[in-house]
Amino acid sequence: EPEVTQTPSHQVTQMGQEVILRCVPISNHLYFYWYRQILGQKVEFLVSFYNNEISEKSEIFDDQFSVERPDGSNFTLKIRSTKLEDSAMYFCASSETGSNYGYTFGSGTRLTVV
Amino acid sequence: QKEVEQNSGPLSVPEGAIASLNCTYSDRVSQSFFWYRQYSGKSPELIMSIYSNGDKEDGRFTAQLNKASQYVSLLIRDSQPSDSATYLCAPAHSGGYQKVTFGIGTKLQVIP
């Protein structure tokens, strides 16, 4: 069964450093998403991406965050200057048809900011 | 008002019993409704989707939707210890890039 692949599975970074989280969506999917989940809290929407541009973003997705699809397979989330409160599990998801039939999630990257 | 409301639990049921998970949502425009299962430390996994009022059955799972009451539920028959997880209710608007919004989830514990 096709999978969404995320790397790395765990990243530790110092406060103020830049991090890039990487995702390889399912190959025929057109819609891409980043969500995050702080420990013990709900899964929160960050951003959706379609046709090489951001479709929607949440209040969490401020100027410190950016997304990019640098080639035909990768989808990245960059955090420019990490804060302690950015520590969370970050999930990439993709969908062939958008929200209509749900998403497939990757296994996540656990980001720890120290 | 929260967009998606679920009882966080834990909901404990004995093995073999029916587990009933409930969810209310505030956005009347929502057209698609999903249930995801999330094991501790893992990513959400889509287990059911429902789009029309009424019931939809898939194996041991039945999703129920009442748009007038803005209520969606998930029944798990013959609960197994492997069903122990957090179940996330997730409504969405139809079409394209519309986001799926998750509730806090209900933690289900199936007691052997």
Side-chain angles (χ1 to χ4, degrees):
Chain A
E1 189 170 326
E3 288 184 344
V4 175
T5 305
Q6 288 187 246
T7 55
S9 57
H10 190 187
Q11 175 138 13
V12 181
T13 188
Q14 289 201 330
M15 192 169 51
Q17 294 297 303
E18 175 184 287
V19 294
I20 297 177
L21 309 183
R22 303 182 190 279
C23 171
V24 178
I26 294 172
S27 61
N28 65 331
H29 284 189
L30 302 175
Y31 300 85
F32 313 111
Y33 311 85
W34 284 100
Y35 282 76
R36 81 172 186 189
Q37 186 174 32
I38 295 171
L39 188 64
Q41 298 186 24
K42 68 178 182 179
V43 178
E44 298 176 290
F45 170 76
L46 291 178
V47 65
S48 58
F49 192 87
Y50 170 71
N51 200 24
N52 283 320
E53 61 183 21
I54 290 174
S55 307
E56 185 176 356
K57 58 184 181 180
S58 71
E59 293 176 354
I60 303 168
F61 195 89
D62 62 20
D63 291 344
Q64 293 299 311
F65 290 87
S66 63
V67 290
E68 194 177 36
R69 188 158 161 80
D71 53 42
S73 59
N74 291 286
F75 180 50
T76 62
L77 174 69
K78 181 192 291 186
I79 309 174
R80 288 190 184 80
S81 179
T82 50
K83 308 181 186 70
L84 294 176
E85 54 264 36
D86 293 328
S87 295
M89 193 75 153
Y90 288 81
F91 295 112
C92 174
S94 70
S95 171
E96 187 176 3
T97 58
S99 65
N100 289 345
Y101 299 106
Y103 311 151
T104 301
F105 280 84
S107 56
T109 293
R110 180 167 298 284
L111 177 65
T112 303
V113 183
V114 297
Chain B
Q1 185 184 9
K2 293 180 184 176
E3 288 185 76
V4 182
E5 296 213 36
Q6 294 182 261
N7 187 327
S8 60
L11 171 67
S12 295
V13 299
E15 183 175 355
I18 296 174
S20 177
L21 307 164
N22 305 313
C23 170
T24 57
Y25 59 94
S26 61
D27 188 350
R28 289 190 171 274
V29 183
S30 295
Q31 295 289 329
S32 308
F33 302 87
F34 307 102
W35 282 98
Y36 282 80
R37 177 175 61 198
Q38 187 177 29
Y39 293 111
S40 181
K42 303 296 185 182
S43 60
E45 174 192 8
L46 181 64
I47 56 171
M48 285 290 287
S49 57
I50 187 166
Y51 307 99
S52 304
N53 283 327
D55 295 359
K56 179 182 176 183
E57 187 175 317
D58 184 0
R60 294 186 296 112
F61 299 99
T62 298
Q64 299 173 317
L65 174 61
N66 183 326
K67 290 185 180 180
S69 300
Q70 295 174 251
Y71 173 86
V72 59
S73 66
L74 179 71
L75 300 178
I76 307 175
R77 288 180 299 281
D78 188 24
S79 296
Q80 301 296 309
S82 58
D83 295 326
S84 297
T86 298
Y87 289 81
L88 311 177
C89 171
H93 295 178
S94 288
Y97 55 80
Q98 301 289 350
K99 68 178 185 286
V100 171
T101 303
F102 289 92
I104 187 67
T106 298
K107 186 172 183 178
L108 174 66
Q109 294 177 339
V110 181
I111 312 299

